[in-house]
Amino acid sequence: MKALVKFAPGDGNLDIRDVDEPVCGDRQVKVEVAFCGVCGTDLHVMHDTFRNYPPVILGHELAGTVVETGCDVAGVAIGERVTVLGATAVTCGVCRYCREGRFIFCPARRGMGHGVNGAFARYVVVRPDQLYRIPDHFTLEEAAISEPFAAAVQAVTEVTQVRIGETALVSGPGPIGLMCLKLLVAEGVRTIVAGAAGDDLRLAAARDFGAALAVNTADTDLGDAVREATGGAGVDVALECAGHPASVRGCLEALRPLGRYTQVAICGREINFPIDQIFYKQLTLCGSICYTARTWDHMMRLYAQGRIRLHDLISVKLPIAEWRTAFDLCADRKALKVLMHP
Ligand SMILES: [Zn+2]
Ligand SMILES: [Zn+2]
């Protein structure tokens, strides 16, 4: 089968290669990939700025259909539509974090799409516990972006614990920022979204998705806009989804005293920020990385209830052969979410 392979360490070294179809083991399930999302992590793997183990097939945001089950697998049927928790592909199972269900921190962990073969290909094989069944009303396209959505679910509902009646700032209108916005709007939380130069398409989407205010900081002062929108009070919570120093500062300055700040994006470098804001306003700072299996269960209940749809986050679908175009669209912020298909 054709697959998008990181074939050697170093910057680049990524291309379509012919690889053997994966063989379904006795305790495994073979899934035919319908769609797989392109994500910033894929760009980092391409540039070798995210740990990877070549040769490896990229792609970790997938949905598809079960086409084969191993002889020791029960409770999974051929034809079932599923999304896959790829991050648990390899874990030790015995460290403190595995035992707590916090597999993300397992030192032995390897996820699909960088640590083991991922889903920019026709087939993947996974364990049954990695599968999540998609409700009938949900499309395979939108189910394919469950992985980043799970990160938004953890950030909003578990780490920040945003409550109805609060005002939120989402700084950075990329896919995860817009997913946080959708959750906040579903919760009835008044949400301000901030973006920068080049974010016009994404800020327009934020307005469509129910943002109370979408601010382009290239032409509007965020502090002024937040003060005006909150009667001078500041926001209760800020989710930093841009990974940019100006956005970090904007969030800290927008928060009211005793407000909560959550770091959702990766900055990728050390930055300067006004740490005294944390002292004078007695802010709470948290990070939110990925999710747990419990987050995925919660997400599937959200899907089942039909209160959240993700299809309007997908703006482009391309065959894997056109991966260069897909990666460029992602890097240039010219699209919302980009999917590829075999
Ligand atoms: Zn991703
Ligand atoms: Zn472990």
Side-chain angles (χ1 to χ4, degrees):
M1 64 179 183
K2 301 272 187 214
L4 181 57
V5 180
K6 173 90 179 179
F7 53 82
D11 194 2
N13 299 332
L14 186 67
D15 213 344
I16 301 290
R17 291 275 163 105
D18 256 315
V19 300
D20 291 338
E21 261 187 44
V23 176
C24 185
D26 292 349
R27 294 178 185 177
Q28 288 181 312
V29 175
K30 186 172 179 181
V31 175
E32 181 171 10
V33 177
F35 297 98
C36 184
V38 181
C39 151
T41 306
D42 299 315
L43 299 172
H44 281 297
V45 172
M46 176 169 73
H47 295 306
D48 223 18
T49 47
F50 186 93
R51 192 150 57 130
N52 60 88
Y53 299 83
V56 67
I57 302 171
L58 270 61
H60 58 273
E61 305 178 355
L62 71 143
T65 307
V66 174
V67 290
E68 191 181 340
T69 59
C71 57
D72 292 338
V73 172
V76 181
I78 287 165
E80 280 186 319
R81 302 181 327 137
V82 294
T83 180
V84 175
L85 203 182
T88 59
V90 176
T91 60
C92 80
V94 294
C95 74
R96 161 181 187 173
Y97 301 106
C98 281
R99 287 177 185 275
E100 287 176 7
R102 302 276 181 173
F103 55 77
I104 287 297
F105 306 108
C106 172
R109 189 180 75 84
R110 286 197 193 191
M112 280 173 75
H114 32 83
V116 301
N117 281 338
F120 289 139
R122 166 106 25 218
Y123 297 106
V124 293
V125 293
V126 298
R127 296 184 315 271
D129 66 272
Q130 294 179 270
L131 298 179
Y132 289 79
R133 258 178 223 98
I134 305 163
D136 290 342
H137 69 269
F138 230 63
T139 64
L140 286 165
E141 282 97 327
E142 58 192 328
I145 54 175
S146 293
E147 190 272 341
F149 188 58
V153 172
Q154 173 174 285
V156 170
T157 71
E158 296 171 17
V159 173
T160 320
Q161 298 190 13
V162 187
R163 289 176 284 270
I164 189 165
E166 292 188 314
T167 297
L169 169 65
V170 172
S171 183
I176 293 191
L178 292 173
M179 289 170 174
C180 289
L181 168 67
K182 276 179 172 273
L183 286 159
L184 292 161
V185 168
E187 188 82 1
V189 175
R190 192 159 160 268
T191 304
I192 300 165
V193 177
D199 279 332
D200 298 313
L201 172 84
R202 293 171 164 191
L203 288 169
R207 286 184 199 98
D208 290 344
F209 298 162
L213 185 66
V215 181
N216 190 333
T217 56
D219 50 44
T220 306
D221 183 79
L222 180 61
D224 289 346
V226 166
R227 273 186 291 277
E228 195 180 307
T230 59
V235 295
D236 300 290
V237 300
L239 295 138
E240 205 290 306
C241 300
H244 190 278
S247 168
V248 172
R249 177 181 294 269
C251 286
L252 291 170
E253 288 174 350
L255 282 164
R256 68 166 173 86
L258 302 174
R260 284 119 63 211
Y261 173 107
T262 302
Q263 188 64 41
V264 186
I266 304 172
C267 285
R269 58 190 154 135
E270 290 188 13
I271 62 163
N272 288 313
F273 67 93
I275 195 163
D276 282 350
Q277 294 262 336
I278 301 166
F279 171 75
Y280 284 117
K281 294 200 280 194
Q282 201 171 317
L283 302 176
T284 302
L285 262 72
C286 278
S288 184
I289 176 169
C290 295
Y291 34 68
T292 62
R294 195 183 70 137
T295 317
W296 279 63
D297 290 338
H298 181 191
M299 173 172 71
M300 299 321 283
R301 289 193 295 275
L302 283 175
Y303 289 174
Q305 288 173 4
R307 286 177 62 207
I308 296 266
R309 295 302 299 263
L310 304 177
H311 54 270
D312 46 8
L313 282 163
I314 297 159
S315 51
V316 183
K317 288 181 270 183
L318 291 167
I320 290 169
E322 291 177 42
W323 67 273
R324 285 176 200 279
T325 309
F327 276 44
D328 286 348
L329 283 168
C330 184
D332 299 342
R333 296 180 286 162
K334 292 264 169 52
L336 299 179
K337 197 71 196 175
V338 179
L339 299 186
M340 296 209 287
H341 54 83

